[in-house]
Amino acid sequence: MKQTPSPETQNDAISMAKATQKPGQTKEQTKLIAAGIEKGIAEYKKREKAKARDRDKARKQQLKAKSNHRQIDDTDIHQGESNSQMTTAAWSLLGLLLLSWAGFAVYMFMA
């Protein structure tokens, strides 16, 4: 699927070919040079579009990685908070259990 160059590209190519025209150069030679310049411009535009697509893909992947990283960090923070709360509750219950056993032991030795 071959695309024809835009009129702007054709005009640019012709003006460049005429600007670099040598004395004694025929119109046919100038047209061939203009065609080569058109082809070069088209190739350059293709490469630039491909680079822009690649940059956009890389930027999207970085944004996705950042958002995933933030979600993981948020999850870790919430888990850390809940773990510390569970630890505090567990120590409180363990302290009450030990206190009740100590009370029971004192009761048994006093009786």
Side-chain angles (χ1 to χ4, degrees):
M1 186 169 157
K2 191 173 184 179
Q3 295 180 346
T4 58
S6 69
E8 181 182 294
T9 303
Q10 289 175 346
N11 290 336
D12 288 344
I14 290 170
S15 65
M16 282 186 233
K18 285 183 180 179
T20 58
Q21 192 173 14
K22 304 278 185 201
Q25 185 173 318
T26 65
K27 285 186 179 182
E28 289 301 317
Q29 290 172 331
T30 305
K31 284 182 182 178
L32 287 173
I33 291 170
I37 292 171
E38 279 180 31
K39 188 175 180 181
I41 291 171
E43 198 63 34
Y44 173 78
K45 286 182 178 180
K46 278 184 196 176
R47 275 187 273 140
E48 288 303 308
K49 283 183 182 179
K51 286 179 186 178
R53 279 194 303 271
D54 291 341
R55 282 192 304 264
D56 191 43
K57 283 181 187 178
R59 183 184 59 83
K60 285 181 181 179
Q61 286 177 349
Q62 285 177 345
L63 288 174
K64 188 175 181 181
K66 274 186 181 179
S67 77
N68 285 345
H69 186 66
R70 284 185 187 152
Q71 287 175 353
I72 290 170
D73 286 348
D74 290 346
T75 304
D76 289 345
I77 289 169
H78 292 306
Q79 285 178 352
E81 290 173 356
S82 63
N83 285 344
S84 66
Q85 289 173 352
M86 289 178 60
T87 304
T88 305
W91 281 108
S92 299
L93 290 174
L94 184 61
L96 287 174
L97 179 65
L98 291 175
L99 186 62
S100 66
W101 283 0
F104 179 72
V106 169
Y107 173 76
M108 289 301 283
F109 287 117
M110 293 291 196

